[in-house]
Amino acid sequence: MPFTHKWKAKKRAFPLEPLLLPQVPRGNYLHFKEEKQRLHLNKFLLHRMFLVAKIEGNVEKKDISEYYEQLFQSILKHHLEESVTGLLLIYPTSILHILESSNGTLFQILLDYLGHENDEKEFFIQEMKIIVISHNIPTRLFMQWHVSAIKVPVMYLDDVTQSQSLKEVITDFISQIHKLSLYLFKTIKVGTKGPGDNLHNVVPDLLLPEQIIKYLCKSEEFMDPATFINMYNRPIHITLDSEVVWPAPSRF
């Protein structure tokens, strides 16, 4: 009995917490499936790019839409599940293009344009400019890629590009496009053909005047695809202070 009493006293004298090993987190099959589904839905970061460009006056809507559709299909073979959504507005002599996809897909779209621009003297898309690129956007505004031709030019009383600064013009540009995108997001159902060619009758107040698109195409403040791609491919070199000091400091 005394021996048993001493053993119990020693057991109470030492706390058990320091002796416990850290617990290894263990998952289950449900957590594994949920993580796999999460990775499947987030295989790439989503970006949105706004483009403007001039087109030849006699080019058909079908030619432009078929060019982009074939390009998207070609890119999709190498960038699986990175589909392109957005909106292409075709004005009489210019286009406004919104594209949503991965960074690699958007990069390939710009490269294809440059290839045609360099190889074809009269490619029907000209003077393209990148207005805005939004990185890592949380969700898409468009569930599909839609094409709409603005057949009847909208009449405006004054040319805002003559009375407003570039900052004001681009602010109105982004605001107006955002309103139009939200309208289409709420009204167009998945699987439908899209807004059609009567936007100028349905929502004329949400359409940008073509003169603004032409103004942005001429503006030197925005990058053309060649400048953007050159900057994208240019390596970043950081020169440390120790590299320009002589004698070089010794490190221990």
Side-chain angles (χ1 to χ4, degrees):
M1 291 297 293
F3 177 78
T4 305
H5 178 72
K6 291 181 180 180
W7 180 82
K8 290 183 178 180
K10 288 182 178 180
K11 184 178 180 181
R12 289 194 300 267
F14 294 93
L16 295 177
E17 287 79 3
L19 301 178
L20 295 177
L21 295 175
Q23 297 295 321
V24 179
R26 298 181 181 276
N28 54 38
Y29 186 69
L30 176 61
H31 294 161
F32 170 76
K33 294 292 290 184
E34 290 177 345
E35 181 66 12
K36 184 177 180 180
Q37 180 70 9
R38 185 186 67 81
L39 295 175
H40 175 74
L41 296 175
N42 296 279
K43 286 187 175 180
F44 61 89
L45 297 176
L46 190 61
H47 309 279
R48 183 180 297 123
M49 181 168 60
F50 295 78
L51 300 172
V52 294
K54 291 184 178 180
I55 58 175
E56 297 179 352
N58 58 350
V59 65
E60 296 290 336
K61 169 190 172 183
K62 181 180 179 181
D63 297 333
I64 302 177
S65 62
E66 285 183 352
Y67 160 69
Y68 277 111
E69 288 172 359
Q70 292 175 6
L71 174 60
F72 296 160
Q73 291 297 325
S74 176
I75 296 176
L76 195 60
K77 294 178 181 178
H78 305 283
H79 297 263
L80 298 178
E81 300 182 4
E82 299 182 16
S83 59
V84 179
T85 60
L87 175 67
L88 173 62
L89 295 180
I90 303 177
Y91 288 80
T93 59
S94 61
I95 61 172
L96 167 61
H97 205 176
I98 306 172
L99 296 163
E100 299 173 332
S101 190
S102 69
N103 188 56
T105 298
L106 298 180
F107 189 77
Q108 291 298 322
I109 293 173
L110 296 178
L111 281 177
D112 190 83
Y113 165 77
L114 284 180
H116 285 284
E117 187 183 45
N118 296 331
D119 298 338
E120 304 175 22
K121 295 182 179 179
E122 297 181 356
F123 186 51
F124 53 79
I125 302 177
Q126 303 169 353
E127 298 184 33
M128 180 178 288
K129 288 293 179 64
I130 303 171
I131 305 303
V132 182
I133 298 181
S134 301
H135 298 285
N136 304 343
I137 58 178
T139 185
R140 297 176 186 261
L141 279 175
F142 304 91
M143 296 299 103
Q144 299 171 231
W145 184 72
H146 303 290
V147 183
S148 181
I150 311 302
K151 296 181 179 180
V152 180
V154 184
M155 300 302 296
Y156 295 88
L157 297 178
D158 57 347
D159 186 354
V160 296
T161 61
Q162 300 296 326
S163 58
Q164 294 182 346
S165 64
L166 177 61
K167 182 179 180 180
E168 292 173 328
V169 171
I170 195 61
T171 300
D172 292 341
F173 171 87
I174 297 175
S175 176
Q176 200 78 347
I177 292 300
H178 184 67
K179 292 178 182 178
L180 177 62
S181 301
L182 287 179
Y183 167 81
L184 297 176
F185 177 78
K186 295 177 181 178
T187 56
I188 299 178
K189 297 181 180 179
V190 179
T192 59
K193 293 183 179 180
D197 295 337
N198 62 339
L199 280 176
H200 54 276
N201 293 325
V202 180
V203 285
D205 55 322
L206 297 182
L207 291 177
L208 283 166
E210 189 177 21
Q211 60 197 17
I212 290 183
I213 299 176
K214 292 182 177 180
Y215 172 76
L216 296 176
C217 289
K218 295 179 180 178
S219 179
E220 297 181 356
E221 281 78 5
F222 300 103
M223 288 188 183
D224 57 81
T227 304
F228 174 80
I229 290 176
N230 288 336
M231 184 185 69
Y232 184 90
N233 290 327
R234 186 183 306 162
I236 300 177
H237 296 286
I238 301 177
T239 303
L240 302 177
D241 292 341
S242 60
E243 297 176 356
V244 295
V245 175
W246 183 261
S250 59
R251 296 181 176 84
F252 297 95

